[in-house]
Amino acid sequence: MHKIGILSDTHNLLRKPVADILHTCDIILHAGDISTPQILKQLESIAPVYAVRGNTDREWPESLPQTLSIELYGIQIFLIHNKKQIREDLRQKNLIIYGHSHKYEEQQINGQTWLNPGSCGKRRFSLPLTMATLTVTQDGRFAIEKICLESGKHPAEQISSVKDTKELVRCVMRETDKGKSVETIAGSLNISQDLAGQICRLYLTHPGVSADGILKKMGL
């Protein structure tokens, strides 16, 4: 039996539960958006890593390819960050791994397995944190296990416990305008840094967005 850890879109965050799972794996596959060489080094200290470059891996990862074709334990595997950029002939591949959307996806298409492990790094909006493991038997058969990870309360649970959710978002917006850090805002409002960071990012990357607009984008 062989076990492979599959992840994507860690965005400069290797969570302890993720590292704990990877310590049980023989090999790690990463479908891009690692963001910093420090995370790659952390992964390499756990197990051999095969990785491709994501759209946020811009200046440092000269050694990371855009695509990667490998054979592991008899399985023909293809890695890419964004499946919309596939140009290769993949008819001989057993497993196609990609990322980018932060959404877990597993499909069987023409006898091939297409897998997006989702994101187990920084959470995007209210999407769950996920990764996958691949178990390969001695006769070459393989099975994929979806792994759902949560770090503390889900943002939706946190925000729904606030009497006036819109006022919470407005408070974060006001504190952001004052130039306060995500850590400071989270502490002053007694919410997680994940939640404060999501609201701050949406506010800063969507000029003119309202509190209602932020809540809608978070799926709340």
Side-chain angles (χ1 to χ4, degrees):
M1 296 282 286
H2 302 282
K3 188 175 179 181
I4 299 172
I6 305 174
L7 60 162
S8 185
D9 297 271
T10 44
H11 290 282
N12 199 29
L13 176 60
L14 181 59
R15 297 173 185 269
K16 186 179 183 303
V18 175
D20 289 343
I21 292 167
L22 294 178
H23 274 288
T24 70
C25 298
D26 303 302
I27 290 174
I28 299 169
L29 304 181
H30 197 302
D33 274 5
I34 303 167
S35 295
T36 65
Q38 288 76 19
I39 296 298
L40 183 58
K41 289 178 181 177
Q42 283 183 262
L43 294 172
E44 290 173 337
S45 71
I46 297 172
V49 178
Y50 294 90
V52 292
R53 186 182 306 187
N55 56 286
T56 66
D57 302 320
R58 292 170 183 162
E59 298 178 0
W60 61 274
E62 296 86 357
S63 61
L64 291 183
Q66 299 287 347
T67 65
L68 185 63
S69 292
I70 54 174
E71 179 181 341
L72 294 174
Y73 311 120
I75 302 172
Q76 298 295 331
I77 302 173
F78 178 82
L79 276 81
I80 191 169
H81 182 60
N82 187 344
K83 69 176 181 178
K84 293 181 179 180
Q85 298 175 346
I86 293 176
R87 302 292 181 266
E88 290 83 350
D89 182 351
L90 302 181
R91 285 177 291 182
Q92 302 303 314
K93 305 302 180 184
N94 307 118
L95 175 62
I96 296 94
I97 298 171
Y98 53 97
H100 189 57
S101 71
H102 290 224
K103 295 180 181 178
Y104 188 94
E105 183 176 61
E106 183 181 339
Q107 300 182 79
Q108 296 295 321
I109 303 175
N110 298 324
Q112 298 170 306
T113 300
W114 290 67
L115 173 68
N116 183 336
S119 170
C120 57
K122 292 183 179 179
R123 191 195 298 273
R124 174 182 287 178
F125 311 141
S126 57
L127 293 174
L129 303 172
T130 60
M131 61 177 290
T133 58
L134 177 73
T135 303
V136 187
T137 61
Q138 294 294 338
D139 59 3
R141 291 182 296 176
F142 65 88
I144 294 170
E145 179 183 359
K146 176 183 178 180
I147 299 174
C148 295
L149 303 130
E150 292 300 330
S151 178
K153 286 187 175 181
H154 189 286
E157 294 174 347
Q158 294 180 52
I159 203 165
S160 64
S161 68
V162 179
K163 185 175 181 180
D164 187 347
T165 57
K166 193 182 299 185
E167 181 56 29
L168 172 63
V169 173
R170 286 173 176 158
C171 285
V172 174
M173 293 165 70
R174 287 195 293 268
E175 296 299 284
T176 302
D177 285 337
K178 295 176 183 178
K180 294 185 178 180
S181 68
V182 169
E183 183 178 3
T184 300
I185 294 171
S188 64
L189 297 177
N190 195 28
I191 59 176
S192 75
Q193 290 188 42
D194 274 352
L195 177 56
Q198 284 184 55
I199 299 172
C200 287
R201 283 193 297 273
L202 286 169
Y203 181 47
L204 294 173
T205 57
H206 294 77
V209 69
S210 65
D212 285 326
I214 289 175
L215 288 169
K216 183 176 180 181
K217 290 181 181 297
M218 293 180 72
L220 302 172

